[in-house]
Amino acid sequence: MGWYLAYFIVYFAAMFGIGFYYFLKVKNADDYLIGGWNMGFWPIVGTVISTWCGASVFIGSVGLGFTVGASGYIRFSLASVLFTLILLLVFGKALRRQRLYTLADLFGSRFGPTVGIIPSLLSAVVYAIPTTAMQYLAMSTIWTACFGMEWNTALILSFVLVFGFTVLGGLPGTIITDALQAILIIVGIIVLAAATLHYAGGWSNMVANTPPEYLSPAGPYGFSEVLFFFLSVGPFYLVWQSSWQRIFAAKSETVSLRANTLGVVICAFIFICPAIIGIACRQFLPLDTNPDMIFSKVTFEMLPPYIGGLIYCALLAALVTSADSFILQGSSNLTHDFYRQLINPKATNKQLMFWSRLTVLIIALGALIVAFNFTGIIAIYQWALRLTATTIVLPFLATMLWRGVTKTGAMSGMLLGLVSTLVWPYLGISFDQTFFGFIFCAIGLFGGSLLTRHAPEENVAAVLWEDLPTATERQ
């Protein structure tokens, strides 16, 4: 226990020191929420790696490797990487040029402020709160494994630590600590993969003793099941606001494209490690082991404390940086999309800073409430991704590519996609929930746009080729 406690004290002392530095330095709401559109190459690379390697990777992907084998990499990791590369390579420069704050800001600038309400609520409530709760859940496995802490107490401690750092430093503090923590995360996950593989008897022994279906891309349930999972997860990454924030925060379009792309490519290789850990653990753990506990279990039981403590610090680095990124995502939505756009357009910088930090508290507390009531990390994450994707992806693509999309069409598509996805579980049909939502979103989007004219408040543009007013107004 002494090694773990010493590592954790040093880690959080460093984190809060950096957070306090930026608390004194950052006086502007734009800097606090979006880094002033002025972050450099390596800080962006680091924050991409750190943000991606959160609970869904360290905990969820290890669990997927354990339960479905190599196909877990295709279902989740490969899906997220490929769709994010599409976002960066096709749309990244155009989005950075608009000088936006959030995903909802794109819709509000193109169609008028009210159209941004649905994506803002989805981003802040449906995505940011549950995914922050995931990080609390994963952090709590560390406190219970290392110190035998009661579960609810562990959740509260996780909330206090994450909220404390986030409210101090904002996005600049997050990005700088992310860049430093990226090295720790990469080293930690590689060391654990090597140790787990060694404990399983080496690569040859693991392959020889693993059922073939767990080494196959099709997995134990067949290729169609993998494909449906892939398509239910992947499209969300076109509208993942954490990626958008990193696109916006870079100091130029070139830095944004190159740094974000490099970070994602590095993650594609890092994500192989959790799959290896999960498969290797099938050799020596009971097959009914809770998948969400595998990472902490093997770290605590297999490794000596002076090494296990470093691995836990790598996990903490991933979880804290992911949690504060998700909290700031929700805070950006509530502060910019609601308060500044709809409630107080003439808000002073002091008012915006107050609301930024207040909404950090709201998102962090909301996540704590969710964490008290849910436990399945991948289940929570997939639900949030599916609902956001079916509501937002098609309107986003239309906004970027089609001048003909109207305010009514965009709103209709979002509402039909949202409602159809929510009611699907009660219809008793076998048709895939994600495709069901996409179909109704498309009906509302294209039908509404073809039957209505552009509203007076719209800035008509296909944003991939044409700039919105924000591109020049926010210089």
Side-chain angles (χ1 to χ4, degrees):
M1 182 185 298
W3 280 101
Y4 298 134
L5 186 61
Y7 279 131
F8 297 158
I9 289 174
V10 171
Y11 170 75
F12 280 108
M15 291 288 289
F16 276 87
I18 294 171
F20 187 70
Y21 169 78
Y22 280 98
F23 176 76
L24 297 176
K25 182 178 180 180
V26 174
K27 303 298 181 183
N28 182 286
D30 287 349
D31 289 339
Y32 185 81
L33 293 175
I34 207 66
W37 298 292
N38 197 38
M39 304 306 294
F41 181 89
W42 288 110
I44 294 295
V45 173
T47 192
V48 169
I49 294 170
S50 297
T51 300
W52 273 55
C53 295
S56 60
V57 170
F58 272 79
I59 307 296
S61 292
V62 169
L64 275 178
F66 186 78
T67 55
V68 299
S71 68
Y73 181 86
I74 299 173
R75 294 161 181 254
F76 179 76
S77 301
L78 186 62
S80 61
V81 166
L82 290 181
F83 278 89
T84 301
L85 288 175
I86 292 172
L87 169 68
L88 295 172
L89 298 176
V90 178
F91 304 110
K93 283 192 172 182
L95 289 172
R96 170 60 184 79
R97 195 165 58 246
Q98 308 312 312
R99 297 182 72 86
L100 301 167
Y101 292 90
T102 64
L103 167 65
D105 195 21
L106 171 68
F107 291 108
S109 300
R110 169 63 176 82
F111 301 105
T114 55
V115 181
I117 292 176
I118 293 177
S120 184
L121 283 175
L122 282 173
S123 179
V125 179
V126 174
Y127 184 79
I129 288 178
T131 48
T132 302
M134 285 168 47
Q135 315 313 310
Y136 294 167
L137 291 167
M139 287 178 70
S140 297
T141 66
I142 298 176
W143 313 136
T144 57
C146 294
F147 307 117
M149 192 176 293
E150 191 271 331
W151 184 251
N152 286 345
T153 304
L155 285 173
I156 294 171
L157 176 62
S158 301
F159 156 76
V160 170
L161 293 171
V162 168
F163 168 71
F165 173 72
T166 307
V167 78
L168 286 175
L171 191 64
T174 297
I175 287 180
I176 295 302
T177 54
D178 284 0
L180 299 174
Q181 291 178 122
I183 298 173
L184 179 60
I185 291 169
I186 293 172
V187 172
I189 194 70
I190 291 175
V191 168
L192 186 61
T196 309
L197 193 59
H198 175 75
Y199 199 79
W203 180 268
S204 299
N205 187 70
M206 181 187 75
V207 171
N209 291 297
T210 299
E213 62 268 25
Y214 285 88
L215 300 175
S216 165
Y221 305 110
F223 182 74
S224 60
E225 198 267 348
V226 174
L227 179 62
F228 278 126
F229 197 105
F230 179 96
L231 293 176
S232 71
V233 168
F236 164 81
Y237 284 89
L238 294 173
V239 294
W240 188 29
Q241 189 165 297
S242 290
S243 290
W244 285 46
Q245 281 183 307
R246 274 73 190 157
I247 291 172
F248 300 154
K251 64 182 180 181
S252 69
E253 293 172 34
T254 300
V255 169
S256 178
L257 176 63
R258 292 177 179 176
N260 278 283
T261 301
L262 177 59
V264 172
V265 170
I266 291 173
C267 287
F269 290 97
I270 295 173
F271 292 168
I272 296 172
C273 293
I276 292 174
I277 294 169
I279 296 171
C281 285
R282 293 182 60 86
Q283 312 308 310
F284 53 83
L285 287 180
L287 296 182
D288 60 353
T289 301
N290 181 353
D292 290 347
M293 293 299 295
I294 290 174
F295 187 100
S296 288
K297 190 176 182 66
V298 296
T299 301
F300 185 77
E301 296 182 1
M302 284 175 36
L303 301 176
Y306 58 88
I307 297 178
L310 288 174
I311 302 299
Y312 277 133
C313 281
L315 175 57
L316 281 174
L319 300 176
V320 171
T321 193
S322 294
D324 59 39
S325 294
F326 300 144
I327 290 171
L328 287 168
Q329 169 181 328
S331 176
S332 296
N333 293 126
L334 298 179
T335 301
H336 178 76
D337 302 329
F338 279 90
Y339 180 69
R340 179 150 60 177
Q341 292 282 65
L342 299 176
I343 298 174
N344 188 5
K346 297 182 179 180
T348 65
N349 182 65
K350 183 178 180 179
Q351 290 172 317
L352 290 172
M353 285 297 293
F354 170 79
W355 276 94
S356 296
R357 290 191 163 111
L358 176 62
T359 52
V360 163
L361 175 60
I362 291 171
I363 298 296
L365 278 175
L368 180 61
I369 293 170
V370 171
F372 279 133
N373 293 281
F374 292 94
T375 56
I377 286 179
I378 283 294
I380 295 174
Y381 198 57
Q382 191 180 12
W383 177 83
L385 266 58
R386 179 185 293 119
L387 188 61
T388 304
T390 56
T391 306
I392 304 299
V393 167
L394 292 182
F396 159 66
L397 293 174
T399 300
M400 298 301 293
L401 300 171
W402 184 32
R403 296 182 96 252
V405 62
T406 66
K407 176 180 178 179
T408 300
M411 286 290 288
S412 299
M414 291 179 194
L415 287 171
L416 283 179
L418 176 66
V419 172
S420 61
T421 305
L422 288 174
V423 303
W424 177 88
Y426 306 101
L427 299 179
I429 57 177
S430 58
F431 194 76
D432 182 75
Q433 183 180 17
T434 304
F435 293 144
F436 186 76
F438 276 135
I439 289 172
F440 278 89
C441 180
I443 291 172
L445 177 68
F446 293 107
S449 295
L450 293 172
L451 295 174
T452 60
R453 298 179 181 274
H454 291 293
E457 64 269 27
E458 290 187 44
N459 292 298
V460 179
V463 181
L464 184 61
W465 302 286
E466 303 170 275
D467 286 345
L468 296 168
T470 55
T472 55
E473 292 173 355
R474 295 175 181 171
Q475 295 292 335

